[in-house]
Amino acid sequence: MKIKEVRELDNNALVEKIESTEAQLHQLKLNHAVSPLANPSQIKATRRDIARMKTELHQRELNK
């Protein structure tokens, strides 16, 4: 997810997206522990997406 896409979301949608992406990350880690993923860099990309979304949410809170 690009930062431009993150900025277009409102706060509620952003929080929901963070929660769903964190659940996806948990599932990826679980699947990788059981059997190796075809693309293990997907875990890294998902972690970074979560960080981008949390950073944008934090910036919005500071700007209020």
Side-chain angles (χ1 to χ4, degrees):
M1 174 171 265
K2 302 289 182 184
I3 192 69
K4 182 179 178 183
E5 297 169 357
V6 172
R7 289 185 177 148
E8 291 174 353
L9 297 173
D10 64 345
N11 286 348
N12 294 333
L14 189 56
V15 170
E16 289 176 12
K17 186 72 174 170
I18 290 170
E19 290 173 357
S20 67
T21 309
E22 285 176 339
Q24 178 186 4
L25 176 63
H26 179 67
Q27 190 63 39
L28 282 172
K29 286 181 177 181
L30 184 65
N31 289 343
H32 187 62
V34 173
S35 64
L37 293 175
N39 187 7
S41 64
Q42 188 177 10
I43 293 172
K44 182 179 178 181
T46 304
R47 241 185 18 245
R48 288 182 176 183
D49 286 343
I50 292 169
R52 275 188 209 102
M53 290 184 279
K54 285 185 175 182
T55 300
E56 178 62 26
L57 189 61
H58 184 68
Q59 286 296 321
R60 290 179 186 183
E61 290 174 1
L62 291 177
N63 288 335
K64 283 187 178 179

Short mmCIF file of all heavy atoms in Angstrom, two decimals:
data_model
loop_
_atom_site.label_atom_id
_atom_site.label_comp_id
_atom_site.label_asym_id
_atom_site.label_seq_id
_atom_site.Cartn_x
_atom_site.Cartn_y
_atom_site.Cartn_z
N MET A 1 0.84 -1.17 0.00
CA MET A 1 0.00 0.00 0.00
C MET A 1 0.90 1.24 0.00
O MET A 1 1.81 1.35 0.81
CB MET A 1 -0.89 -0.02 1.23
CG MET A 1 -1.72 1.21 1.40
SD MET A 1 -2.93 1.06 2.70
CE MET A 1 -4.32 0.57 1.72
N LYS A 2 0.62 2.13 -0.90
CA LYS A 2 1.40 3.36 -1.03
C LYS A 2 0.92 4.40 -0.04
O LYS A 2 -0.23 4.38 0.41
CB LYS A 2 1.27 3.92 -2.45
CG LYS A 2 1.72 2.97 -3.52
CD LYS A 2 3.20 2.80 -3.52
CE LYS A 2 3.61 1.89 -4.65
NZ LYS A 2 5.01 1.61 -4.66
N ILE A 3 1.78 5.35 0.29
CA ILE A 3 1.44 6.39 1.26
C ILE A 3 0.30 7.26 0.73
O ILE A 3 -0.53 7.74 1.50
CB ILE A 3 2.68 7.24 1.64
CG1 ILE A 3 2.40 8.12 2.83
CG2 ILE A 3 3.15 8.07 0.47
CD1 ILE A 3 2.22 7.37 4.11
N LYS A 4 0.21 7.41 -0.58
CA LYS A 4 -0.88 8.20 -1.17
C LYS A 4 -2.22 7.53 -0.87
O LYS A 4 -3.20 8.20 -0.55
CB LYS A 4 -0.66 8.33 -2.68
CG LYS A 4 -1.69 9.15 -3.38
CD LYS A 4 -1.39 9.27 -4.86
CE LYS A 4 -2.48 10.06 -5.56
NZ LYS A 4 -2.25 10.12 -7.00
N GLU A 5 -2.27 6.22 -0.97
CA GLU A 5 -3.49 5.48 -0.67
C GLU A 5 -3.85 5.60 0.80
O GLU A 5 -5.03 5.69 1.15
CB GLU A 5 -3.33 4.01 -1.05
CG GLU A 5 -3.10 3.77 -2.51
CD GLU A 5 -2.69 2.34 -2.82
OE1 GLU A 5 -2.51 1.55 -1.88
OE2 GLU A 5 -2.53 2.03 -4.00
N VAL A 6 -2.85 5.59 1.66
CA VAL A 6 -3.09 5.70 3.10
C VAL A 6 -3.66 7.07 3.44
O VAL A 6 -4.59 7.18 4.24
CB VAL A 6 -1.77 5.45 3.88
CG1 VAL A 6 -1.94 5.75 5.35
CG2 VAL A 6 -1.30 4.03 3.69
N ARG A 7 -3.14 8.10 2.83
CA ARG A 7 -3.61 9.46 3.12
C ARG A 7 -5.03 9.70 2.67
O ARG A 7 -5.70 10.59 3.19
CB ARG A 7 -2.67 10.47 2.49
CG ARG A 7 -1.34 10.53 3.19
CD ARG A 7 -0.46 11.61 2.65
NE ARG A 7 0.78 11.65 3.43
CZ ARG A 7 1.96 11.98 2.94
NH1 ARG A 7 2.07 12.32 1.67
NH2 ARG A 7 3.03 11.98 3.70
N GLU A 8 -5.50 8.95 1.69
CA GLU A 8 -6.86 9.13 1.18
C GLU A 8 -7.91 8.53 2.11
O GLU A 8 -9.08 8.88 2.02
CB GLU A 8 -6.98 8.51 -0.21
CG GLU A 8 -6.19 9.27 -1.26
CD GLU A 8 -6.20 8.58 -2.61
OE1 GLU A 8 -6.70 7.44 -2.71
OE2 GLU A 8 -5.68 9.17 -3.57
N LEU A 9 -7.51 7.64 3.01
CA LEU A 9 -8.45 7.00 3.92
C LEU A 9 -8.80 7.93 5.07
O LEU A 9 -7.96 8.71 5.53
CB LEU A 9 -7.85 5.71 4.48
CG LEU A 9 -7.52 4.60 3.49
CD1 LEU A 9 -6.78 3.48 4.19
CD2 LEU A 9 -8.79 4.06 2.85
N ASP A 10 -10.05 7.83 5.56
CA ASP A 10 -10.39 8.59 6.76
C ASP A 10 -9.92 7.80 7.99
O ASP A 10 -9.45 6.68 7.87
CB ASP A 10 -11.89 8.89 6.82
CG ASP A 10 -12.74 7.63 6.94
OD1 ASP A 10 -12.22 6.54 6.70
OD2 ASP A 10 -13.93 7.77 7.30
N ASN A 11 -10.03 8.40 9.17
CA ASN A 11 -9.48 7.79 10.39
C ASN A 11 -10.09 6.42 10.69
O ASN A 11 -9.36 5.49 11.04
CB ASN A 11 -9.67 8.72 11.58
CG ASN A 11 -8.72 9.89 11.54
OD1 ASN A 11 -7.78 9.92 10.77
ND2 ASN A 11 -8.97 10.88 12.39
N ASN A 12 -11.41 6.30 10.59
CA ASN A 12 -12.05 5.02 10.90
C ASN A 12 -11.62 3.93 9.93
O ASN A 12 -11.33 2.80 10.34
CB ASN A 12 -13.58 5.16 10.89
CG ASN A 12 -14.07 6.05 12.01
OD1 ASN A 12 -13.42 6.17 13.06
ND2 ASN A 12 -15.20 6.69 11.80
N ALA A 13 -11.56 4.26 8.66
CA ALA A 13 -11.14 3.28 7.66
C ALA A 13 -9.67 2.91 7.87
O ALA A 13 -9.30 1.75 7.69
CB ALA A 13 -11.35 3.84 6.26
N LEU A 14 -8.88 3.87 8.29
CA LEU A 14 -7.46 3.61 8.53
C LEU A 14 -7.27 2.66 9.71
O LEU A 14 -6.48 1.72 9.63
CB LEU A 14 -6.73 4.93 8.77
CG LEU A 14 -5.21 4.89 8.83
CD1 LEU A 14 -4.63 4.27 7.56
CD2 LEU A 14 -4.66 6.29 9.03
N VAL A 15 -8.02 2.87 10.77
CA VAL A 15 -7.94 1.98 11.94
C VAL A 15 -8.38 0.57 11.56
O VAL A 15 -7.73 -0.41 11.94
CB VAL A 15 -8.78 2.54 13.11
CG1 VAL A 15 -8.90 1.52 14.22
CG2 VAL A 15 -8.18 3.83 13.64
N GLU A 16 -9.44 0.45 10.80
CA GLU A 16 -9.92 -0.86 10.36
C GLU A 16 -8.88 -1.54 9.46
O GLU A 16 -8.64 -2.75 9.58
CB GLU A 16 -11.24 -0.73 9.60
CG GLU A 16 -12.41 -0.36 10.49
CD GLU A 16 -13.68 -0.13 9.71
OE1 GLU A 16 -13.73 -0.47 8.50
OE2 GLU A 16 -14.64 0.39 10.30
N LYS A 17 -8.26 -0.78 8.59
CA LYS A 17 -7.24 -1.32 7.69
C LYS A 17 -6.02 -1.80 8.48
O LYS A 17 -5.46 -2.85 8.17
CB LYS A 17 -6.84 -0.25 6.67
CG LYS A 17 -5.92 -0.73 5.60
CD LYS A 17 -6.62 -1.64 4.63
CE LYS A 17 -5.69 -1.97 3.50
NZ LYS A 17 -6.21 -3.02 2.64
N ILE A 18 -5.65 -1.05 9.52
CA ILE A 18 -4.53 -1.46 10.37
C ILE A 18 -4.85 -2.79 11.04
O ILE A 18 -4.02 -3.70 11.05
CB ILE A 18 -4.20 -0.37 11.42
CG1 ILE A 18 -3.58 0.85 10.75
CG2 ILE A 18 -3.25 -0.91 12.48
CD1 ILE A 18 -3.44 2.06 11.66
N GLU A 19 -6.04 -2.89 11.60
CA GLU A 19 -6.43 -4.13 12.28
C GLU A 19 -6.44 -5.33 11.34
O GLU A 19 -5.94 -6.40 11.67
CB GLU A 19 -7.79 -3.95 12.94
CG GLU A 19 -7.79 -3.01 14.13
CD GLU A 19 -9.17 -2.72 14.66
OE1 GLU A 19 -10.17 -3.20 14.07
OE2 GLU A 19 -9.25 -1.99 15.67
N SER A 20 -6.99 -5.14 10.15
CA SER A 20 -7.06 -6.25 9.20
C SER A 20 -5.66 -6.63 8.70
O SER A 20 -5.36 -7.81 8.51
CB SER A 20 -7.97 -5.92 8.03
OG SER A 20 -7.43 -4.89 7.24
N THR A 21 -4.79 -5.64 8.52
CA THR A 21 -3.44 -5.93 8.06
C THR A 21 -2.62 -6.62 9.14
O THR A 21 -1.82 -7.50 8.85
CB THR A 21 -2.75 -4.63 7.59
OG1 THR A 21 -3.60 -3.96 6.66
CG2 THR A 21 -1.44 -4.93 6.91
N GLU A 22 -2.84 -6.23 10.40
CA GLU A 22 -2.16 -6.91 11.50
C GLU A 22 -2.61 -8.37 11.60
O GLU A 22 -1.79 -9.26 11.87
CB GLU A 22 -2.41 -6.20 12.82
CG GLU A 22 -1.62 -4.91 12.96
CD GLU A 22 -1.92 -4.14 14.23
OE1 GLU A 22 -3.00 -4.36 14.83
OE2 GLU A 22 -1.07 -3.32 14.62
N ALA A 23 -3.90 -8.62 11.38
CA ALA A 23 -4.40 -10.00 11.37
C ALA A 23 -3.77 -10.78 10.22
O ALA A 23 -3.41 -11.95 10.37
CB ALA A 23 -5.91 -10.00 11.27
N GLN A 24 -3.64 -10.13 9.08
CA GLN A 24 -3.01 -10.77 7.92
C GLN A 24 -1.55 -11.09 8.21
O GLN A 24 -1.07 -12.17 7.86
CB GLN A 24 -3.11 -9.84 6.71
CG GLN A 24 -2.47 -10.37 5.46
CD GLN A 24 -2.46 -9.36 4.32
OE1 GLN A 24 -2.88 -8.22 4.50
NE2 GLN A 24 -1.97 -9.77 3.19
N LEU A 25 -0.84 -10.18 8.88
CA LEU A 25 0.55 -10.41 9.24
C LEU A 25 0.67 -11.60 10.20
O LEU A 25 1.54 -12.45 10.03
CB LEU A 25 1.16 -9.17 9.89
CG LEU A 25 2.59 -9.29 10.40
CD1 LEU A 25 3.55 -9.57 9.24
CD2 LEU A 25 3.00 -8.05 11.15
N HIS A 26 -0.22 -11.66 11.16
CA HIS A 26 -0.22 -12.79 12.11
C HIS A 26 -0.42 -14.11 11.36
O HIS A 26 0.28 -15.09 11.63
CB HIS A 26 -1.30 -12.59 13.17
CG HIS A 26 -1.39 -13.69 14.15
ND1 HIS A 26 -0.40 -13.95 15.07
CD2 HIS A 26 -2.34 -14.63 14.36
CE1 HIS A 26 -0.74 -15.01 15.79
NE2 HIS A 26 -1.92 -15.43 15.38
N GLN A 27 -1.34 -14.10 10.42
CA GLN A 27 -1.60 -15.32 9.64
C GLN A 27 -0.40 -15.70 8.78
O GLN A 27 -0.06 -16.87 8.65
CB GLN A 27 -2.85 -15.12 8.77
CG GLN A 27 -3.34 -16.37 8.12
CD GLN A 27 -3.79 -17.42 9.12
OE1 GLN A 27 -4.39 -17.11 10.13
NE2 GLN A 27 -3.49 -18.68 8.85
N LEU A 28 0.24 -14.70 8.18
CA LEU A 28 1.44 -14.97 7.38
C LEU A 28 2.54 -15.59 8.23
O LEU A 28 3.20 -16.55 7.81
CB LEU A 28 1.96 -13.69 6.75
CG LEU A 28 1.23 -13.16 5.52
CD1 LEU A 28 1.77 -11.77 5.16
CD2 LEU A 28 1.40 -14.10 4.36
N LYS A 29 2.76 -15.05 9.43
CA LYS A 29 3.79 -15.59 10.31
C LYS A 29 3.48 -17.02 10.72
O LYS A 29 4.36 -17.86 10.79
CB LYS A 29 3.94 -14.71 11.55
CG LYS A 29 4.63 -13.41 11.29
CD LYS A 29 4.77 -12.61 12.58
CE LYS A 29 5.52 -11.33 12.39
NZ LYS A 29 5.65 -10.58 13.66
N LEU A 30 2.20 -17.27 11.01
CA LEU A 30 1.78 -18.62 11.40
C LEU A 30 2.00 -19.59 10.24
O LEU A 30 2.55 -20.68 10.43
CB LEU A 30 0.31 -18.61 11.82
CG LEU A 30 -0.25 -19.91 12.35
CD1 LEU A 30 0.45 -20.29 13.66
CD2 LEU A 30 -1.73 -19.78 12.59
N ASN A 31 1.59 -19.20 9.04
CA ASN A 31 1.77 -20.06 7.88
C ASN A 31 3.25 -20.30 7.59
O ASN A 31 3.64 -21.40 7.20
CB ASN A 31 1.12 -19.44 6.64
CG ASN A 31 -0.39 -19.48 6.71
OD1 ASN A 31 -0.96 -20.22 7.51
ND2 ASN A 31 -1.04 -18.67 5.90
N HIS A 32 4.07 -19.28 7.80
CA HIS A 32 5.50 -19.42 7.54
C HIS A 32 6.16 -20.35 8.57
O HIS A 32 7.11 -21.05 8.24
CB HIS A 32 6.17 -18.05 7.56
CG HIS A 32 7.60 -18.07 7.16
ND1 HIS A 32 8.01 -18.46 5.90
CD2 HIS A 32 8.73 -17.74 7.83
CE1 HIS A 32 9.32 -18.38 5.82
NE2 HIS A 32 9.78 -17.95 6.99
N ALA A 33 5.64 -20.37 9.78
CA ALA A 33 6.19 -21.25 10.80
C ALA A 33 5.87 -22.71 10.49
O ALA A 33 6.67 -23.60 10.77
CB ALA A 33 5.64 -20.88 12.17
N VAL A 34 4.69 -22.95 9.92
CA VAL A 34 4.27 -24.31 9.60
C VAL A 34 4.99 -24.82 8.35
O VAL A 34 5.55 -25.91 8.34
CB VAL A 34 2.74 -24.38 9.42
CG1 VAL A 34 2.31 -25.73 8.93
CG2 VAL A 34 2.04 -24.02 10.72
N SER A 35 4.93 -24.03 7.30
CA SER A 35 5.62 -24.39 6.06
C SER A 35 6.12 -23.10 5.41
O SER A 35 5.41 -22.09 5.43
CB SER A 35 4.69 -25.13 5.11
OG SER A 35 3.63 -24.29 4.70
N PRO A 36 7.31 -23.11 4.87
CA PRO A 36 7.88 -21.87 4.31
C PRO A 36 7.00 -21.24 3.23
O PRO A 36 6.42 -21.94 2.40
CB PRO A 36 9.20 -22.34 3.71
CG PRO A 36 9.51 -23.63 4.37
CD PRO A 36 8.20 -24.24 4.73
N LEU A 37 6.91 -19.94 3.28
CA LEU A 37 6.15 -19.20 2.27
C LEU A 37 6.93 -19.16 0.96
O LEU A 37 8.16 -19.20 0.94
CB LEU A 37 5.90 -17.77 2.74
CG LEU A 37 4.99 -17.56 3.94
CD1 LEU A 37 4.98 -16.09 4.31
CD2 LEU A 37 3.58 -18.03 3.64
N ALA A 38 6.19 -19.06 -0.13
CA ALA A 38 6.83 -18.94 -1.43
C ALA A 38 7.57 -17.61 -1.54
O ALA A 38 8.62 -17.51 -2.16
CB ALA A 38 5.80 -19.06 -2.54
N ASN A 39 7.02 -16.58 -0.90
CA ASN A 39 7.62 -15.25 -0.92
C ASN A 39 7.72 -14.71 0.51
O ASN A 39 6.85 -13.98 0.95
CB ASN A 39 6.76 -14.32 -1.79
CG ASN A 39 7.39 -12.98 -2.00
OD1 ASN A 39 8.53 -12.75 -1.61
ND2 ASN A 39 6.63 -12.07 -2.60
N PRO A 40 8.77 -15.06 1.24
CA PRO A 40 8.88 -14.62 2.63
C PRO A 40 9.05 -13.11 2.79
O PRO A 40 8.80 -12.57 3.86
CB PRO A 40 10.09 -15.37 3.16
CG PRO A 40 10.82 -15.87 1.99
CD PRO A 40 9.86 -15.94 0.85
N SER A 41 9.43 -12.41 1.74
CA SER A 41 9.54 -10.95 1.85
C SER A 41 8.17 -10.29 1.97
O SER A 41 8.09 -9.09 2.26
CB SER A 41 10.30 -10.38 0.64
OG SER A 41 9.58 -10.62 -0.54
N GLN A 42 7.13 -11.06 1.77
CA GLN A 42 5.76 -10.57 1.95
C GLN A 42 5.53 -10.17 3.41
O GLN A 42 4.80 -9.21 3.67
CB GLN A 42 4.78 -11.65 1.52
CG GLN A 42 3.35 -11.23 1.46
CD GLN A 42 2.46 -12.36 0.95
OE1 GLN A 42 2.90 -13.49 0.81
NE2 GLN A 42 1.22 -12.05 0.68
N ILE A 43 6.16 -10.87 4.34
CA ILE A 43 6.04 -10.53 5.76
C ILE A 43 6.64 -9.15 6.00
O ILE A 43 6.04 -8.31 6.68
CB ILE A 43 6.74 -11.60 6.63
CG1 ILE A 43 5.99 -12.92 6.53
CG2 ILE A 43 6.83 -11.15 8.08
CD1 ILE A 43 6.69 -14.09 7.19
N LYS A 44 7.80 -8.90 5.44
CA LYS A 44 8.48 -7.61 5.59
C LYS A 44 7.64 -6.49 4.99
O LYS A 44 7.49 -5.42 5.61
CB LYS A 44 9.84 -7.70 4.90
CG LYS A 44 10.68 -6.47 5.00
CD LYS A 44 12.01 -6.72 4.31
CE LYS A 44 12.91 -5.52 4.31
NZ LYS A 44 14.17 -5.79 3.61
N ALA A 45 7.07 -6.71 3.83
CA ALA A 45 6.26 -5.69 3.17
C ALA A 45 5.01 -5.38 3.98
O ALA A 45 4.61 -4.21 4.10
CB ALA A 45 5.88 -6.15 1.77
N THR A 46 4.40 -6.40 4.55
CA THR A 46 3.19 -6.21 5.36
C THR A 46 3.52 -5.43 6.62
O THR A 46 2.77 -4.53 7.02
CB THR A 46 2.56 -7.57 5.71
OG1 THR A 46 2.31 -8.30 4.51
CG2 THR A 46 1.26 -7.39 6.45
N ARG A 47 4.65 -5.75 7.25
CA ARG A 47 5.08 -5.01 8.44
C ARG A 47 5.29 -3.54 8.13
O ARG A 47 4.90 -2.66 8.90
CB ARG A 47 6.38 -5.61 8.97
CG ARG A 47 6.30 -6.16 10.33
CD ARG A 47 7.59 -6.65 10.93
NE ARG A 47 8.82 -6.19 10.33
CZ ARG A 47 9.70 -6.98 9.70
NH1 ARG A 47 9.49 -8.27 9.59
NH2 ARG A 47 10.82 -6.49 9.20
N ARG A 48 5.87 -3.27 7.00
CA ARG A 48 6.12 -1.88 6.60
C ARG A 48 4.82 -1.14 6.28
O ARG A 48 4.69 0.06 6.55
CB ARG A 48 7.06 -1.83 5.41
CG ARG A 48 8.47 -2.19 5.82
CD ARG A 48 9.43 -2.10 4.68
NE ARG A 48 10.78 -2.38 5.17
CZ ARG A 48 11.85 -2.31 4.42
NH1 ARG A 48 11.76 -1.96 3.16
NH2 ARG A 48 13.03 -2.58 4.93
N ASP A 49 3.85 -1.84 5.68
CA ASP A 49 2.54 -1.23 5.41
C ASP A 49 1.88 -0.82 6.72
O ASP A 49 1.30 0.27 6.82
CB ASP A 49 1.63 -2.20 4.66
CG ASP A 49 2.03 -2.35 3.20
OD1 ASP A 49 2.78 -1.50 2.68
OD2 ASP A 49 1.58 -3.34 2.57
N ILE A 50 1.95 -1.69 7.72
CA ILE A 50 1.37 -1.38 9.03
C ILE A 50 2.06 -0.14 9.62
O ILE A 50 1.40 0.75 10.16
CB ILE A 50 1.49 -2.59 9.98
CG1 ILE A 50 0.59 -3.73 9.48
CG2 ILE A 50 1.11 -2.20 11.40
CD1 ILE A 50 0.82 -5.05 10.20
N ALA A 51 3.37 -0.09 9.51
CA ALA A 51 4.12 1.06 10.04
C ALA A 51 3.72 2.35 9.33
O ALA A 51 3.56 3.39 9.98
CB ALA A 51 5.61 0.81 9.90
N ARG A 52 3.54 2.29 8.02
CA ARG A 52 3.10 3.48 7.28
C ARG A 52 1.74 3.96 7.76
O ARG A 52 1.53 5.16 7.96
CB ARG A 52 2.99 3.17 5.79
CG ARG A 52 4.26 3.30 5.05
CD ARG A 52 4.03 3.17 3.53
NE ARG A 52 5.23 2.63 2.95
CZ ARG A 52 5.40 1.37 2.58
NH1 ARG A 52 4.42 0.50 2.69
NH2 ARG A 52 6.54 0.97 2.09
N MET A 53 0.82 3.02 7.94
CA MET A 53 -0.52 3.40 8.36
C MET A 53 -0.52 3.96 9.78
O MET A 53 -1.19 4.96 10.06
CB MET A 53 -1.46 2.20 8.25
CG MET A 53 -1.76 1.81 6.82
SD MET A 53 -2.94 0.48 6.66
CE MET A 53 -1.90 -0.95 6.95
N LYS A 54 0.23 3.34 10.68
CA LYS A 54 0.30 3.84 12.06
C LYS A 54 0.97 5.21 12.12
O LYS A 54 0.56 6.06 12.91
CB LYS A 54 1.05 2.84 12.95
CG LYS A 54 0.23 1.62 13.29
CD LYS A 54 0.96 0.74 14.27
CE LYS A 54 0.09 -0.41 14.72
NZ LYS A 54 0.79 -1.25 15.73
N THR A 55 1.96 5.42 11.29
CA THR A 55 2.62 6.73 11.25
C THR A 55 1.66 7.81 10.79
O THR A 55 1.59 8.89 11.38
CB THR A 55 3.85 6.69 10.32
OG1 THR A 55 4.75 5.70 10.81
CG2 THR A 55 4.54 8.03 10.23
N GLU A 56 0.90 7.53 9.76
CA GLU A 56 -0.08 8.50 9.25
C GLU A 56 -1.14 8.79 10.31
O GLU A 56 -1.51 9.94 10.53
CB GLU A 56 -0.73 7.98 7.97
CG GLU A 56 -1.78 8.90 7.41
CD GLU A 56 -1.27 10.26 6.98
OE1 GLU A 56 -0.08 10.39 6.66
OE2 GLU A 56 -2.08 11.22 6.99
N LEU A 57 -1.61 7.77 11.00
CA LEU A 57 -2.61 7.96 12.05
C LEU A 57 -2.05 8.81 13.18
O LEU A 57 -2.71 9.71 13.68
CB LEU A 57 -3.07 6.59 12.58
CG LEU A 57 -4.25 6.58 13.52
CD1 LEU A 57 -5.49 7.14 12.83
CD2 LEU A 57 -4.52 5.17 14.01
N HIS A 58 -0.81 8.56 13.56
CA HIS A 58 -0.16 9.33 14.62
C HIS A 58 0.01 10.79 14.19
O HIS A 58 -0.21 11.71 14.99
CB HIS A 58 1.19 8.71 14.98
CG HIS A 58 1.86 9.38 16.12
ND1 HIS A 58 1.39 9.32 17.41
CD2 HIS A 58 2.99 10.14 16.16
CE1 HIS A 58 2.19 10.02 18.20
NE2 HIS A 58 3.17 10.54 17.46
N GLN A 59 0.39 11.03 12.94
CA GLN A 59 0.55 12.39 12.45
C GLN A 59 -0.79 13.14 12.47
O GLN A 59 -0.83 14.32 12.81
CB GLN A 59 1.09 12.38 11.02
CG GLN A 59 2.55 12.03 10.93
CD GLN A 59 3.43 13.05 11.61
OE1 GLN A 59 3.18 14.25 11.54
NE2 GLN A 59 4.46 12.58 12.28
N ARG A 60 -1.86 12.44 12.15
CA ARG A 60 -3.18 13.08 12.20
C ARG A 60 -3.56 13.45 13.62
O ARG A 60 -4.15 14.51 13.85
CB ARG A 60 -4.24 12.13 11.62
CG ARG A 60 -4.12 11.94 10.14
CD ARG A 60 -5.16 10.99 9.63
NE ARG A 60 -4.96 10.69 8.22
CZ ARG A 60 -5.77 9.91 7.52
NH1 ARG A 60 -6.83 9.35 8.09
NH2 ARG A 60 -5.51 9.69 6.25
N GLU A 61 -3.23 12.61 14.59
CA GLU A 61 -3.52 12.91 15.99
C GLU A 61 -2.71 14.11 16.47
O GLU A 61 -3.22 14.93 17.24
CB GLU A 61 -3.25 11.70 16.86
CG GLU A 61 -4.21 10.57 16.65
CD GLU A 61 -3.83 9.31 17.42
OE1 GLU A 61 -2.81 9.32 18.14
OE2 GLU A 61 -4.56 8.31 17.30
N LEU A 62 -1.48 14.21 16.03
CA LEU A 62 -0.63 15.35 16.43
C LEU A 62 -1.10 16.66 15.80
O LEU A 62 -0.94 17.73 16.40
CB LEU A 62 0.82 15.09 16.05
CG LEU A 62 1.54 13.99 16.83
CD1 LEU A 62 2.96 13.82 16.28
CD2 LEU A 62 1.58 14.31 18.30
N ASN A 63 -1.68 16.59 14.63
CA ASN A 63 -2.12 17.80 13.93
C ASN A 63 -3.44 18.34 14.45
O ASN A 63 -3.83 19.45 14.09
CB ASN A 63 -2.21 17.54 12.43
CG ASN A 63 -0.85 17.42 11.80
OD1 ASN A 63 0.12 17.95 12.30
ND2 ASN A 63 -0.78 16.69 10.70
N LYS A 64 -4.13 17.58 15.28
CA LYS A 64 -5.43 18.06 15.79
C LYS A 64 -5.26 19.20 16.76
O LYS A 64 -4.34 19.41 17.42
CB LYS A 64 -6.17 16.92 16.51
CG LYS A 64 -6.80 15.97 15.53
CD LYS A 64 -7.65 14.98 16.27
CE LYS A 64 -8.32 14.05 15.28
NZ LYS A 64 -9.13 13.07 15.94
#
